[in-house]
């Protein structure tokens, strides 16, 4: 009986190996050979799915976007007030525990490399409008519920929240801010937006 191969699972496995290498040793350590070893696959198997390092990084970047999307969707599935949902979504993007630190280390590596890699930059831009739209929707809903000031521009405030999250990540990863200080900073900012 022929073996049934789950190609999506193999692609995900390759992407996760790329993420681990980036997390542990940095983007410069990613190669087809290193990823094959980390994934426990032959070079031929890896090359069946990706022929070049650039293709492999794009595959890993796509799975990274899915990983973030899944985490944000899990937050959105909670029955929360709009303001709590807004807060929890931003907290999900910050390096406050081991899994989110892993996520952010990988994300920072992709951000840095995307500055000089147009294909990665294009891939990184795909998810941002969805996140900003989701944040703006929660801000608008919180305004309707009387939780946030009515005069706020939801789109601009969503961009500011995203910029806050991105801006505090690196300083937190290097130990400048503790997780408690990050949460306190977010809560301070949100309190200034209240009705």
């Amino acid at each position: 009986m022929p073996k049934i191969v789950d190609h999506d699972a193999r692609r995900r496995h390759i992407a996760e190996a790329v993420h681990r290498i980036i997390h542990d040793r940095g983007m410069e350590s990613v190669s087809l050979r290193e990823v094959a070893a980390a994934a426990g696959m032959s070079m031929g198997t890896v090359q069946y799915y990706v022929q070049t390092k650039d293709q492999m990084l794009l595959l890993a970047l796509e799975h990274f976007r899915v990983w973030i999307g899944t985490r944000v969707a899990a937050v959105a599935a909670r029955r929360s007030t709009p303001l709590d949902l807004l807060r929890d979504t931003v907290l999900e993007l910050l390096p406050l525990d081991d899994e989110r630190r892993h996520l952010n280390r990988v994300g920072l590596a992709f951000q840095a490399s995307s500055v000089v890699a147009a294909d990665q930059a294009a891939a990184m831009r795909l998810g941002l409008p969805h996140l900003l739209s989701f944040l703006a929707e929660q801000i608008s809903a919180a305004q309707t519920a009387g939780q946030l000031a009515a005069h706020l521009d939801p789109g601009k405030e969503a961009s500011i929240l995203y910029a806050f999250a991105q801006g505090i990540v690196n300083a937190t990863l290097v130990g400048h801010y503790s997780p408690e200080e990050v949460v306190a900073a977010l809560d301070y900012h949100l309190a200034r937006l209240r009705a």
Side-chain angles (χ1 to χ4, degrees):
M1 179 148 169
K3 182 178 177 182
I4 298 174
V5 176
D6 184 339
H7 294 290
D8 288 337
R10 282 199 174 168
R11 285 185 190 90
R12 186 171 54 251
H13 192 63
I14 291 167
E16 289 168 354
V18 173
H19 295 164
R20 285 193 305 275
I21 291 169
I22 291 171
H23 176 270
D24 295 341
R25 294 181 279 154
M27 186 74 76
E28 64 280 356
S29 297
V30 175
S31 69
L32 289 166
R33 186 172 310 285
E34 290 294 323
V35 170
M41 297 176 169
S42 70
M43 281 280 289
T45 301
V46 171
Q47 288 178 312
Y48 176 82
Y49 296 98
V50 289
Q51 287 73 49
T52 67
K53 178 178 177 177
D54 287 343
Q55 289 177 351
M56 188 168 53
L57 289 173
L58 285 174
L59 172 71
L61 183 52
E62 173 58 28
H63 281 273
F64 178 79
R65 287 189 322 105
V66 168
W67 186 12
I68 291 174
T70 300
R71 294 183 68 92
V72 170
V75 171
R78 299 176 192 158
R79 299 284 183 218
S80 299
T81 68
L83 184 57
D84 287 341
L85 186 53
L86 179 68
R87 178 183 183 270
D88 290 346
T89 300
V90 175
L91 289 175
E92 198 61 33
L93 303 175
L94 300 174
L96 303 178
D97 57 29
D98 287 342
E99 186 171 358
R100 287 179 282 181
R101 273 190 293 278
H102 180 95
L103 180 86
N104 277 278
R105 283 177 63 143
V106 172
L108 278 177
F110 275 119
Q111 283 183 346
S113 68
S114 70
V115 172
V116 294
D119 54 350
Q120 287 183 37
M124 296 228 19
R125 286 191 300 269
L126 291 175
L128 184 55
H130 300 291
L131 176 61
L132 291 176
S133 175
F134 179 76
L135 294 176
E137 287 169 12
Q138 302 321 306
I139 291 167
S140 181
Q143 288 174 305
T144 301
Q147 296 178 306
L148 293 180
H151 72 275
L152 299 173
D153 180 315
K156 288 179 181 173
E157 294 300 334
S159 291
I160 291 168
L161 272 174
Y162 177 76
F164 163 83
Q166 291 300 297
I168 205 165
V169 164
N170 194 50
T172 305
L173 286 173
V174 300
H176 183 73
Y177 297 115
S178 69
E180 295 77 19
E181 289 171 317
V182 172
V183 173
L186 175 61
D187 287 341
Y188 176 81
H189 176 69
L190 290 176
R192 296 187 318 164
L193 306 181
R194 288 183 184 272

